[in-house]
Amino acid sequence: MTLLKRYVLRLFISLKYITANVVDRNNGRIVATASTVEHSIKNTLECGRSCNAKAATVVGEVLAMRLKVEGLHQGEGRGIHVDVNKEVEKKGFKNRTKIWAIVNSLKNSGVKLILDDNDDDNTSRPNF
């Protein structure tokens, strides 16, 4: 069994909610999660009927904090993998800003991320 991509970031984005999970692929378990569904996060946001990039940033910050508490913000030295292009493809182009808001928020909070996107010209990557 390979340990190359042990920890992977998975995102679930709808019009109303944003959820980010870090999954341990060796045993198929979620090791940390954050979502706008949680009362502690929901009450600090003014999403109304939809969640925006600001809400995505908060979700990323909370997930980073939880990863640090678990001691997994470095992904056991290997980092946490995220395939941005795959996430954009799954969630749709309209959610690209939310996806990058989560990714940038995690990176800015000290989480070691390994971007698995194969987009050499980075045309889908906004500048934050």
Side-chain angles (χ1 to χ4, degrees):
M1 184 178 292
T2 182
L3 294 176
L4 286 177
K5 291 186 181 180
R6 179 167 184 182
Y7 296 104
V8 179
L9 178 68
R10 293 287 182 239
L11 305 175
F12 303 93
I13 299 173
S14 71
L15 289 175
K16 289 185 174 184
Y17 305 111
I18 299 170
T19 301
N21 297 327
V22 173
V23 179
D24 180 346
R25 289 181 45 166
N26 284 358
N27 60 23
R29 293 182 187 244
I30 296 172
V31 295
T33 187
S35 176
T36 56
V37 174
E38 299 174 42
H39 290 290
S40 58
I41 296 175
K42 189 180 199 178
N43 292 337
T44 63
L45 300 173
E46 295 181 18
C47 284
R49 296 179 68 175
S50 65
C51 284
N52 54 21
K54 190 174 187 177
T57 299
V58 171
V59 167
E61 290 169 354
V62 171
L63 181 62
M65 190 171 37
R66 291 177 180 170
L67 285 167
K68 286 179 182 179
V69 167
E70 295 294 325
L72 296 172
H73 62 287
Q74 297 297 311
E76 290 187 352
R78 296 178 194 92
I80 296 170
H81 291 262
V82 57
D83 188 336
V84 176
N85 287 336
K86 181 179 175 183
E87 294 295 336
V88 168
E89 212 174 273
K90 287 191 314 185
K91 310 308 180 266
F93 189 74
K94 290 181 181 179
N95 289 316
R96 176 182 62 129
T97 304
K98 295 175 190 175
I99 292 166
W100 278 110
I102 293 170
V103 169
N104 286 329
S105 154
L106 286 166
K107 284 171 47 177
N108 293 339
S109 297
V111 175
K112 181 179 178 185
L113 289 180
I114 299 169
L115 300 179
D116 292 337
D117 60 348
N118 295 322
D119 189 80
D120 293 331
D121 60 1
N122 287 326
T123 55
S124 65
R125 182 182 220 161
N127 295 322
F128 288 113

